[in-house]
Every structure is written in structure tokens, then in C-alpha cells.
Amino acid sequence: SGTTLGGKIAMESYLRGMIQSFDETRCLKIGCDQGHHNYLIHTGRLQWNATETIPTTGISYSTIARNRTTRVQRIDYFAQGEGAVNTLSIFCNDRKPATLRSMGLVDNRTDEVLNFDGSVSPVIHQFDRCLEINGILKQKEADLWSDWKNKTKDVLVGIQTSNLSSS
């Protein structure tokens, strides 16, 4: 499991490759997407020009003008817990008795999820599978909504009052 990020050309190439891979295999099982992702990344199929015909099939999946340079320039890999997106599901399942906090992956003061180097994870993916984090985030969400409602209560009433009085 993981996350894919990129610019317009890179993501278009990636998504076209994923669609082609699904079309070719017709795999409908849960998890096929991970296999297709690994295949595209590790075979270098995304490095071809997005407007060129992919050699293995003879099919061109692109509608981009052929005059443009539309090549995936670079693919960066980040191991779990090291990049901008920290995918937590690997740690949170019935077979893993340890908690993220006990593994040092949650800051005890702030309840923020951490990368392995101790930096705060900018984005956490699949947190809903971690009861420990899910509870913390649900409480933070409730607090944010409450704060927002309290801060905007007077503003909303003022707008409604001014609209009513001006009509």
C-alpha cells in the first residue's frame, strides 16, 4: 500500500499506465492495483514518452500533441515512514500488538504522527485503520469544528441580521 504523487504529465502517464495494465490483465481482485503499480514503476514503463506507443502492446493511449515533450522525468521512491506521506496501515492491524506510540511514532506531547527520523509526518495515509490515531484525530476534528463554530457564530448572525435589516 502507498501513495502516488506527481505533476500533471507524470500523473497522466501513471494513470494511463494503470488503466492499460488493468485493461490487459482484467484483474478485479482486491490488491491488483498494488501489483500494477509495482509493475509500472519497476519495469520503467513510465519513462517512455507519454505520446509514444508502448512497445509491449502496440497501443497508444495518449491524446497529447506529439510535438510536446511529455516524459516522466524522474521517479523518487520513499520508504514507509521517510517521505511526505506516511502510510500507517502496515502498523495497524490485528496481527500487530504494538501501538504507534510504543514504537515512538506518535509524539507524546502533541499526539502528532512521526516519521522514523522523528520529524512530523506531513500527511498520514490510512490512519482510519489505526484505532489509536483514529480516536485522536476524531477528537481534534471535533475541537476544530467547535472552535470554528464559536468563532463564526457572531459573524454569521451579523450577516443574517444585516441582510434582514437591509431588505
Side-chain angles (χ1 to χ4, degrees):
S1 187
T3 309
T4 304
L5 304 169
K8 180 181 181 291
I9 290 170
M11 289 307 298
E12 180 182 3
S13 298
Y14 174 77
L15 293 172
R16 287 179 186 282
M18 288 292 282
I19 290 167
Q20 181 182 4
S21 192
F22 271 99
D23 287 349
E24 289 173 356
T25 64
R26 304 213 183 277
C27 181
L28 299 175
K29 294 181 180 179
I30 293 174
C32 283
D33 60 320
Q34 187 67 51
H36 294 309
H37 167 85
N38 291 341
Y39 176 73
L40 288 174
I41 299 298
H42 296 293
T43 60
R45 287 181 68 161
L46 295 179
Q47 304 306 106
W48 283 304
N49 187 310
T51 60
E52 290 176 6
T53 301
I54 297 175
T56 57
T57 64
I59 300 170
S60 176
Y61 278 82
S62 181
T63 58
I64 297 172
R66 294 201 180 271
N67 296 353
R68 290 178 49 201
T69 302
T70 53
R71 192 176 293 274
V72 174
Q73 299 296 318
R74 180 179 93 236
I75 297 174
D76 294 332
Y77 302 92
F78 294 97
Q80 195 285 325
E82 294 181 4
V85 180
N86 195 345
T87 302
L88 300 179
S89 62
I90 191 170
F91 297 117
C92 304
N93 59 53
D94 296 337
R95 298 179 307 267
K96 304 274 185 183
T99 64
L100 292 170
R101 195 176 300 280
S102 71
M103 292 185 288
L105 297 177
V106 174
D107 185 297
N108 288 322
R109 290 181 304 105
T110 63
D111 288 333
E112 293 174 310
V113 176
L114 306 174
N115 283 334
F116 291 133
D117 66 359
S119 64
V120 175
S121 299
V123 178
I124 52 175
H125 177 49
Q126 296 179 335
F127 64 85
D128 59 315
R129 300 173 191 186
C130 299
L131 296 178
E132 158 187 32
I133 298 302
N134 210 5
I136 292 168
L137 291 176
K138 283 189 183 297
Q139 184 58 53
K140 285 187 179 197
E141 177 187 26
D143 293 346
L144 287 171
W145 275 114
S146 177
D147 288 350
W148 181 80
K149 287 176 183 176
N150 288 334
K151 288 178 183 175
T152 58
K153 182 178 178 183
D154 294 335
V155 174
L156 293 174
V157 170
I159 291 171
Q160 289 175 342
T161 304
S162 65
N163 286 341
L164 290 174
S165 63
S166 66
S167 54

